[in-house]
Amino acid sequence: MRADPEVVVVGAGFGGLGVALSLHRAGFRRFTVLERADGVGGVWRDNTYPGAACDVPSSLYSYSFAPNPEWPRRYAAQPDILAYLVRASAVVRDRIRFGADVVAARFGGGRWRVELADGRSVGADVLVSAVGQLSRPLVPRISGVERFEGPVFHSARWDHAVDLRGRRVAVVGTGASAVQFVPAIQPRARAVTVFQRTAPHVLPKPDAVRRGAARPVASRAARFGTWLAGEALTALLTSGPVGRGVVAGLAAAHRRIRVPDRDLRARVRPTTRAGCKRVLFSNDWYPALRAPNVELVTEPIAEVTAYGVRTRDGREHRADVLVWGTGFAVADFALPRVTGRDGADLAEVWAGRPRAHLGMCVPGFPNLFLVYGPNTNLGGNSVLTMIEAQCRYVVAAVRHLAATGAASLEVRADVAERFDARLRDRLAGGVWAGCSSWYRTRDGSITTNWPGLTWEYLRRTRRLRLADHLVRAEG
């Protein structure tokens, strides 16, 4: 391989841009970012629904090598996060190809060939898939949707041309997005009907407006403190019943303060243990549900009618607009079609259960790295901690290939199998195994979350372990 390997990164969200910026900082210049949209940002470009914001404090929701001392709030809103990514990406802007929709990638002759939807292709020595876990909106299959006469859209594809003033809005879902956009639309809608399947655990959100730019020392201290707080929350959620009880107790106290009505409080009381589903942060979710123009419906949905939503008790809830707040399909962690060594098909290798060594490497797929891949999501801390660790690992791999002239790195099958077995064993006894959620696949496998603290992942990825890989001099 040449001394400056050619790298292709798919996706220009936090993961893909992180890899590109890390390669640039390491002195590599022969890399290309392929982005199917017309701008950077990924999930923060696509999710423009009212009230969209991060539930991780801003100090930890930026790259450590590109801090932002001028966040306007402790918890940044979507426009501010997107603006940050646009600024951070400026140095690699000339390496990004927009409108490049990747449909397949094939390894052969020691190189990757990446195919685009327009028929063109791009060659690469190293391929990085940074398509993320939150790029495909999940729309439930409910009969009668095609009959509904009003606008229908998912929160991740918010239709800003639809004026909600004076209209009746039906919202399906009470997850992280709905908790943000329902309070935002409630004041202008005539009525909002929220259909809840499972009540979430909700903690208060200690948000505040920031005054002036933070000094570097203060910014670093805030980042470290936020990381420690995230580790503490993760430890509570994953340590056992006592730790989860603490989180549940805090959520219950928040409900008692925010929901004085006993009947409503009973309906928003979670039936799952804390952490089994994503714990949410909000100060205005419960007040919004208490508003006179908001109704919380816990009866299961039977069908969508031309004029609303009918629940199983036979009642039709009239609506002018239907909004899905139903999250994302997170089972796909790679490109649509990936073919590795000897014709191995990644979808067939995974067989419905995505898995990768350290969430990044798959046996039989040389020089392929997944960023924010299987089991690298978190339940209580900033995923950017994981993404930066993966960026450093990818750079270490590229640096080794460049320094030695080796053709490829490929994780050993026995190493990947031991890692996966240990991971599954830890996850089977953990909090996420206790209920149905987007953390799990249809067969019950947990393919999204990391089972421990980010500290462990940082330790395990701090250096490239060559003994874990097959290093080939030829492709």
Side-chain angles (χ1 to χ4, degrees), residues 202-288:
V202 182
L203 297 177
K205 188 174 184 177
D207 198 7
V209 175
R210 294 181 58 179
R211 305 294 183 186
R215 295 180 178 180
V217 173
S219 181
R220 287 193 294 271
R223 185 182 184 90
F224 182 67
T226 301
W227 174 74
L228 285 178
E231 293 289 83
L233 176 59
T234 301
L236 288 173
L237 293 174
T238 58
S239 60
V242 175
R244 293 193 294 269
V246 171
V247 177
L250 292 172
H254 184 51
R255 286 196 303 278
R256 284 193 297 271
I257 294 171
R258 295 287 185 173
V259 190
D261 180 81
R262 290 186 177 181
D263 176 64
L264 179 58
R265 192 164 67 237
R267 286 186 288 139
V268 297
R269 182 179 298 119
T271 56
T272 58
R273 55 188 181 183
C276 185
K277 291 176 177 286
R278 182 176 174 181
V279 175
L280 307 180
F281 297 84
S282 175
N283 299 326
D284 49 13
W285 170 243
Y286 291 138

Side-chain angles (χ1 to χ4, degrees), residues 263-349:
D263 176 64
L264 179 58
R265 192 164 67 237
R267 286 186 288 139
V268 297
R269 182 179 298 119
T271 56
T272 58
R273 55 188 181 183
C276 185
K277 291 176 177 286
R278 182 176 174 181
V279 175
L280 307 180
F281 297 84
S282 175
N283 299 326
D284 49 13
W285 170 243
Y286 291 138
L289 295 182
R290 291 168 49 202
N293 65 331
V294 176
E295 180 184 8
L296 178 68
V297 178
T298 57
E299 185 73 18
I301 295 174
E303 63 175 345
V304 175
T305 68
Y307 304 107
V309 178
R310 179 174 286 116
T311 45
R312 289 184 187 174
D313 57 4
R315 180 184 173 193
E316 183 181 35
H317 305 264
R318 289 299 186 102
D320 306 307
V321 181
L322 176 58
V323 181
W324 304 117
T326 46
F328 299 86
V330 298
D332 297 330
F333 292 88
L335 312 176
R337 185 159 46 93
V338 181
T339 306
R341 188 183 300 281
D342 300 324
D345 182 275
L346 185 57
E348 293 179 1
V349 170

Side-chain angles (χ1 to χ4, degrees), residues 3 22 53 56 63 113 164 205 231 310 324 374 400 424 427 432:
S22 298
V56 172
Y63 302 116
R113 178 58 55 182
L164 299 181
K205 188 174 184 177
E231 293 289 83
R310 179 174 286 116
W324 304 117
H400 177 78
R424 280 188 292 164
L427 289 167
W432 301 300

Side-chain angles (χ1 to χ4, degrees), residues 327-376:
F328 299 86
V330 298
D332 297 330
F333 292 88
L335 312 176
R337 185 159 46 93
V338 181
T339 306
R341 188 183 300 281
D342 300 324
D345 182 275
L346 185 57
E348 293 179 1
V349 170
W350 279 350
R353 188 175 69 82
R355 55 201 180 276
H357 180 60
L358 298 174
M360 290 185 280
C361 308
V362 183
F365 295 83
N367 292 355
L368 172 67
F369 299 91
L370 309 178
V371 171
Y372 195 23
N375 295 111
T376 60

